[in-house]
Amino acid sequence: MKKKNIKIIAIAIMSLVILAGIVVVGIFGFNKELRYGQGQVINVYVEQMVDVTNIKKLVNECLAGKTNMVQTVEIYQDYVTIKAKEITEEQKNNIVNKLKENYEFSQTAEDTTIENVTATKYIDIYKKYIVPFAVSGVIVLAYIVIRYHKKGILKVLGRTIIIPVFGELFLLSIIAITRIPVGRYTPVLVIAMYIASIMMVIRENEK
């Protein structure tokens, strides 16, 4: 099979994946990492420094292995926040009572409330990456256009914009379809795809 035909087939498959990704995002949205997603939280003041690993083990038992997050939020590590997508009254009571078996503190299961937490907006998650990514993108774009201007500025400009955008849309579609959690490690994937796309742009311009 000729290289041109292979390229056309690859572009067609990627386009279908992107369309499927748009449909999935439109219906279900992205699957946010628990720390950024909507969920429920209970806070327990244990009144002493705690072993987070031990508490995580207790919480896993009470939530039957359901995905959860355990954090200490005070400087003395004596205030524990437990988050999961859903926490029932029974699970809350079990968690607090299990903690009381291992630590002495005054807060009871009856004193502990389940709080609903809204999802963090994407702009708030990734705002620290926007300016550096935009600046580096402009620098790379200017460099490639200057280096390959003899190939035709509009042609080079189009490749340098379209290929990375197409690559990022493909990546985000894969993330949406496979339900990979969007969170702390997503920027690493985005940067890796951007680098791969720019390498492809350079290879196309070298022909």
Side-chain angles (χ1 to χ4, degrees):
M1 191 180 289
K2 293 181 179 180
K3 284 186 178 181
K4 189 175 181 180
N5 291 336
I6 294 174
K7 185 186 290 187
I8 291 171
I9 292 171
I11 291 172
I13 292 171
M14 291 176 72
S15 298
L16 289 173
V17 170
I18 290 171
L19 287 173
I22 291 170
V23 172
V24 171
V25 172
I27 297 173
F28 303 106
F30 287 103
N31 177 30
K32 284 184 180 175
E33 188 180 343
L34 181 60
R35 70 175 57 238
Y36 300 117
Q38 184 177 341
Q40 294 185 314
V41 167
I42 60 173
N43 298 303
V44 184
Y45 179 43
V46 189
E47 302 175 16
Q48 58 196 285
M49 186 175 288
V50 297
D51 180 356
V52 176
T53 304
N54 182 46
I55 291 182
K56 180 79 174 173
K57 196 178 296 182
L58 295 175
V59 171
N60 281 334
E61 290 176 9
C62 296
L63 295 181
K66 189 188 297 182
T67 302
N68 63 78
M69 185 175 72
V70 177
Q71 289 180 307
T72 53
V73 294
E74 293 290 342
I75 191 170
Y76 299 112
Q77 296 187 331
D78 57 359
Y79 192 86
V80 179
T81 292
I82 298 158
K83 182 178 181 181
K85 285 192 175 181
E86 184 182 4
I87 302 174
T88 65
E89 279 291 328
E90 183 182 359
Q91 289 170 336
K92 177 207 71 174
N93 294 340
N94 288 340
I95 289 170
V96 176
N97 291 332
K98 281 276 186 183
L99 288 174
K100 290 182 80 68
E101 290 175 10
N102 289 266
Y103 302 95
E104 289 186 14
F105 57 93
S106 57
Q107 184 175 329
T108 64
E110 289 72 24
D111 297 330
T112 307
T113 57
I114 300 171
E115 300 175 19
N116 293 314
V117 179
T118 57
T120 307
K121 294 178 180 178
Y122 290 109
I123 189 69
D124 294 327
I125 299 173
Y126 299 119
K127 60 185 176 183
K128 64 182 178 182
Y129 299 103
I130 294 173
V131 173
F133 194 78
V135 170
S136 63
V138 170
I139 292 171
V140 170
L141 178 62
Y143 168 76
I144 290 177
V145 169
I146 291 169
R147 180 175 175 180
Y148 298 105
H149 69 278
K150 291 181 181 179
K151 299 273 187 179
I153 291 177
L154 289 179
K155 186 177 181 181
V156 173
L157 188 64
R159 278 178 180 166
T160 311
I161 293 173
I162 292 171
I163 291 177
V165 169
F166 194 73
E168 297 298 351
L169 287 174
F170 177 72
L171 171 65
L172 293 174
S173 297
I174 292 293
I175 289 172
I177 293 166
T178 58
R179 311 309 291 160
I180 297 172
V182 174
R184 291 166 293 171
Y185 305 113
T186 306
V188 177
L189 297 175
V190 170
I191 291 169
M193 176 57 79
Y194 181 69
I195 292 171
S197 299
I198 291 301
M199 296 300 291
M200 190 179 298
V201 169
I202 292 172
R203 189 177 65 187
E204 287 294 320
N205 287 325
E206 289 288 351
K207 290 179 179 177

